[in-house]
């Protein structure tokens, strides 16, 4: 009997141990393919000498993104730019230059390692400026973000090829407020940065989620959303509909309000992830969730490998896509903390890195995204979609990464973007500034009203349009806002001259203003001005010409040319 009892106890103990080990394995088996770490140079000084170390540590830990703090607001319409001015265009009147990281170099190195880099911008402050300072809002969008996002090299590549912008202090700092002004900023920012991903740090302190008792008896979702909206102007649902990554600041888990109670820490992070996932679901928008977790020590508040793992585990169990360690230099040298992060991160990096260039040939362009990469997937498994008109909608594709011919809808300077997607659905965005060469050019820029004369034009869209039709329009009142025509925009405004020219098309004044391209895709329209027919008030005015390519079978417009201008001289 004793032997049988002992055997039964042994079997029960072995089963319990097996279940425990299985549970531990399942917990550690839940790993993030979207983990990150933040770097705040202004707390350290110039960190250029740490670039390789930071990138190597992130890669060895299995992280995928590095958040680099680049701008700190210090007052209304002013602040500190914490990067080297590689663009050479920063105006010191807009804020003090504190060159603490050569950002373009860092991003290039990180990309070669397969890591994404997101620039962190502190928007508001406490004390002011608050979201009610609309002048500061506009300054942040039109000066700071424009500089960071729209500084370009002569070849059209971005000086700072960031994979996104993260907003810190995008909030009020207590009181009774409305989310409307925070949302105003997000909408203005979206209009400025186009499809570049927007990330935002949002308040998620234990008091907001766990109430005053800190015992995992949580506020309801509705109570939490109301509390965050009223006190900070951060309505998670409204924000999630406008941005691409929601980053709840769940710093208070580690040792602050929960002491050493790992279960409560994990429960708090789980609830943060759950409420963030609910907000994203209700917003009906694809928005990633990366709670920021504490990786620093302070008096009475200790971080350990166990607290790091409890936070990572809770975030993932709550439905977050991953987590962000906050911050690098306070974790530097803490090997066990990085081990904790690695235990919940897939060996990485796990996100694509997008890169491409454009080469124009007439109204065709060749998009080459072959420089895009992924640390895990071969190029053949990546696909790219393209936004040619800068509206943020990726209407072309998906294509493979090799060179792809596309037709330019309008020959106007534009920000052209690609979105690279891997088989797991993870994405990256890259953009270039593209200024297409004109395809409609006059042989002279002036014509004499008194003497008359001819203006020969060359229309050269390229061989792909051989045999297709074209028509040339003219007006006095171009080029903005232009005239929509079958999904393209003709860069001039219809006026009485447009009608006159159309009625006389291919006549003595407007020969070859309509016809077919030859097999090389060229045409030679001409404007002929008889002498002494221009009334005096029209002398000095500018004639605007633009051509439209037309499908010879369906009559559908194929492209609009650039605007070309001829001045009526005396």
């Amino acid at each position: 009997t004793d032997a049988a009892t002992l055997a039964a106890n042994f079997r029960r103990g072995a089963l319990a141990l097996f279940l425990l080990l299985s549970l531990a394995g399942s917990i550690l088996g839940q790993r993030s393919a979207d983990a990150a770490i933040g770097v705040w140079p202004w707390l350290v000084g110039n960190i250029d000498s740490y670039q390789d170390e930071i990138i190597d540590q992130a890669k060895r830990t299995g992280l995928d993104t590095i958040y680099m703090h680049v701008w700190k607001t210090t007052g209304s319409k002013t602040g500190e730019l914490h990067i080297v001015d590689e663009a050479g265009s920063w105006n010191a009147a807009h804020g003090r230059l504190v060159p603490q990281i050569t950002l373009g170099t860092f991003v290039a190195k990180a990309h070669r390692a397969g890591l994404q880099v997101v620039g962190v911008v502190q928007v508001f402050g406490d004390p002011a400026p608050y979201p009610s300072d609309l002048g500061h809002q506009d300054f942040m969008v039109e000066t700071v973000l424009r500089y960071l996002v729209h500084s370009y090299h002569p070849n059209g590549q971005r000086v700072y090829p960031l994979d996104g912008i993260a907003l810190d202090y995008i909030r009020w700092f207590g009181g009774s407020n409305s989310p409307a002004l925070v949302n105003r900023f997000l909408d203005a920012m979206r209009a400025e940065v186009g499809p570049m991903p927007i990330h935002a740090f949002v308040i998620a302190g234990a008091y907001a989620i766990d109430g005053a008792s800190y015992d995992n008896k949580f506020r309801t979702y509705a109570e939490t959303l109301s509390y965050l909206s009223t006190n900070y102007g951060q309505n998670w649902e409204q924000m999630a509909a406008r941005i691409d990554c929601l980053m709840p600041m769940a710093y208070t888990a580690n040792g602050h309000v929960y002491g050493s109670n790992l279960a409560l820490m994990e429960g708090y992070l789980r609830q943060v992830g759950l409420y963030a996932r609910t907000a994203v679901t209700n917003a009906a928008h694809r928005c990633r969730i990366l709670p920021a977790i504490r990786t620093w020590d302070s008096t009475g508040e200790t971080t350990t490998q166990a607290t790091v793992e409890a936070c990572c585990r809770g975030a993932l169990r709550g439905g977050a896509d991953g987590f962000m360690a906050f911050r690098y230099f306070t974790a530097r040298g803490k090997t066990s903390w990085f081990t904790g992060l690695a235990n919940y991160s897939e060996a990485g990096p796990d996100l694509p890195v997008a890169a491409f260039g454009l080469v124009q040939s007439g109204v065709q362009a060749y998009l080459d995204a072959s420089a895009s990469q992924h640390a895990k997937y071969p190029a053949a498994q990546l696909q790219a979609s393209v936004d040619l008109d800068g509206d943020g909608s990726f209407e072309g594709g998906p294509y493979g990464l090799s060179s792809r011919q596309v037709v330019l809808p309008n020959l106007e300077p534009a920000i052209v973007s690609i979105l690279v997607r891997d088989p797991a659905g993870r994405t990256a965005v890259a953009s270039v500034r593209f200024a297409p060469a004109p395809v409609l050019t006059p042989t002279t820029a002036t014509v004499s009203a008194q003497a008359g004369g001819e203006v020969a034009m060359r229309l050269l869209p390229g061989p792909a349009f051989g045999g297709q039709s074209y028509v040339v329009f003219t007006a006095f009142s171009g080029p903005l806002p232009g005239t929509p025509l079958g999904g393209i925009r003709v860069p001039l405004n219809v006026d009485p001259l447009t009608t006159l020219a159309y009625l006389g098309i291919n006549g003595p004044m407007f020969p070859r203003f309509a016809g077919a391209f030859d097999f090389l895709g060229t045409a030679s329209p001409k404007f002929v001005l008889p002498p002494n027919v221009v009334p005096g008030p029209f002398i000095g005015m500018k004639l605007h010409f633009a051509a439209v390519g037309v499908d010879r079978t369906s009559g559908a417009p194929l492209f609009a040319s650039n605007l070309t201008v001829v001045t009526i001289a005396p």
Side-chain angles (χ1 to χ4, degrees):
T1 304
D2 291 343
T5 301
L6 182 63
N9 289 340
F10 176 80
R11 286 193 295 271
R12 283 194 295 268
L15 179 59
L17 180 60
F18 173 78
L19 292 174
L20 180 62
L21 292 174
S22 298
L23 177 60
S26 68
I27 291 171
L28 289 177
Q30 187 177 10
R31 296 173 182 263
S32 170
D34 197 354
I37 196 163
V39 182
W40 263 238
W42 64 269
L43 295 173
V44 180
N46 187 283
I47 64 169
D48 276 336
S49 62
Y50 297 100
Q51 288 194 24
D52 294 337
E53 173 195 309
I54 295 168
I55 291 168
D56 182 61
Q57 180 68 75
K59 188 170 183 178
R60 284 189 290 110
T61 306
L63 306 183
D64 311 289
T65 304
I66 298 172
Y67 286 80
M68 181 68 68
H69 197 284
V70 297
W71 169 267
K72 181 181 181 183
T73 289
T74 58
S76 180
K77 293 183 283 188
T78 190
E80 294 175 346
L81 185 66
H82 290 267
I83 63 174
V84 173
D85 180 22
E86 295 169 86
S89 59
W90 179 254
N91 185 343
H94 296 147
R96 189 164 71 99
L97 187 64
V98 187
Q100 294 180 330
I101 178 71
T102 307
L103 184 62
T105 301
F106 182 84
V107 174
K109 286 183 176 181
H111 282 176
R112 286 195 293 271
L115 294 159
Q116 292 192 3
V117 180
V118 174
V120 179
V121 171
Q122 179 188 321
V123 183
F124 302 114
D126 186 24
Y130 299 123
S132 53
D133 187 339
L134 301 187
H136 181 72
Q137 283 205 26
D138 295 341
F139 164 79
M140 288 299 302
V141 171
E142 297 168 6
T143 300
V144 178
L145 290 172
R146 187 166 295 173
Y147 169 84
L148 290 169
V149 175
H150 293 307
S151 292
Y152 296 93
H153 293 295
N155 66 357
Q157 298 290 332
R158 281 180 165 154
V159 176
Y160 311 112
L162 294 162
D163 299 284
I165 295 289
L167 305 175
D168 196 10
Y169 281 42
I170 176 66
R171 58 186 174 94
W172 296 89
F173 295 82
S176 181
N177 305 292
S178 164
L181 292 177
V182 169
N183 293 340
R184 176 192 185 272
F185 180 85
L186 294 176
D187 290 338
M189 180 181 176
R190 175 60 73 196
E192 179 67 28
V193 306
M196 171 178 270
I198 299 174
H199 308 230
F201 291 94
V202 294
I203 291 292
Y207 185 82
I209 308 291
D210 204 0
S213 57
Y214 306 124
D215 55 3
N216 280 193
K217 295 177 181 177
F218 301 105
R219 297 178 192 263
T220 66
Y221 173 74
E223 290 170 342
T224 300
L225 197 68
S226 175
Y227 179 87
L228 297 173
S229 298
T230 300
N231 285 274
Y232 305 104
Q234 292 185 332
N235 182 298
W236 286 10
E237 292 183 6
Q238 294 172 13
M239 296 180 75
R242 291 170 163 83
I243 65 175
D244 305 281
C245 186
L246 194 68
M247 304 182 69
M249 297 183 292
Y251 309 146
T252 51
N254 303 48
H256 178 47
V257 297
Y258 297 118
S260 59
N261 192 318
L262 300 179
L264 291 180
M265 294 179 198
E266 179 182 333
Y268 159 57
L269 261 296
R270 184 175 60 248
Q271 201 69 21
V272 169
L274 175 63
Y275 283 175
R277 179 58 61 194
T278 301
V280 169
T281 300
N282 290 347
H285 181 67
R286 175 67 181 103
C287 180
R288 294 153 53 203
I289 300 167
L290 293 185
I293 65 173
R294 180 189 182 103
T295 51
W296 78 87
D297 284 333
S298 57
T299 303
E301 302 171 12
T302 303
T303 299
T304 66
Q305 178 177 340
T307 66
V308 169
E309 292 187 352
C311 291
C312 295
R313 187 165 56 245
L316 295 176
R317 286 181 166 179
D321 294 282
F323 42 81
M324 177 223 187
F326 194 89
R327 318 178 186 86
Y328 176 79
F329 279 101
T330 55
R332 184 172 181 259
K334 304 293 181 65
T335 304
S336 67
W337 298 5
F338 284 102
T339 299
L341 293 170
N343 283 340
Y344 288 89
S345 302
E346 290 187 7
D350 302 291
L351 302 180
V353 173
F356 78 112
L358 280 172
V359 177
Q360 183 195 9
S361 175
V363 296
Q364 301 167 88
Y366 293 87
L367 182 153
D368 185 358
S370 60
S372 301
Q373 60 175 311
H374 202 295
K376 289 192 171 180
Y377 296 102
Q381 294 188 39
L382 304 180
Q383 292 188 314
S385 300
V386 61
D387 172 21
L388 283 174
D389 53 16
D391 67 353
S393 174
F394 292 91
E395 62 276 354
Y399 310 122
L401 298 187
S402 59
S403 184
R404 175 75 52 169
Q405 178 180 298
V406 293
V407 176
L408 303 171
N410 297 286
L411 291 181
E412 299 173 339
I415 307 301
V416 179
S417 302
I418 62 165
L419 182 145
V420 175
R421 187 182 302 275
D422 71 15
R426 292 180 286 266
T427 61
V429 174
S431 302
V432 298
R433 182 171 63 183
F434 189 48
V439 300
L440 178 65
T441 54
T443 55
T444 179
T446 61
V447 62
S448 170
Q450 181 178 359
E454 295 183 355
V455 179
M457 302 181 200
R458 294 187 294 269
L459 179 57
L460 308 170
F465 295 90
Q468 298 287 21
S469 302
Y470 72 90
V471 60
V472 179
F473 297 97
T474 187
F476 281 125
S477 53
L480 297 175
T483 302
L485 181 66
I488 65 174
R489 190 186 74 85
V490 184
L492 54 73
N493 300 313
V494 173
D495 61 18
L497 179 60
T498 310
T499 303
L500 176 65
Y502 190 77
L503 292 174
I505 202 164
N506 290 346
M509 290 186 65
F510 306 102
R512 299 192 293 275
F513 261 47
F517 295 109
D518 63 24
F519 75 98
L520 292 175
T522 67
S524 53
K526 183 187 296 185
F527 171 62
V528 180
L529 181 66
N532 298 314
V533 298
V534 178
F538 289 88
I539 295 175
M541 293 187 68
K542 298 180 183 299
L543 294 168
H544 298 92
F545 300 93
V548 173
V550 181
D551 185 279
R552 64 183 177 184
T553 302
S554 67
L558 300 173
F559 68 87
S561 78
N562 56 290
L563 182 76
T564 193
V565 179
V566 174
T567 301
I568 302 175

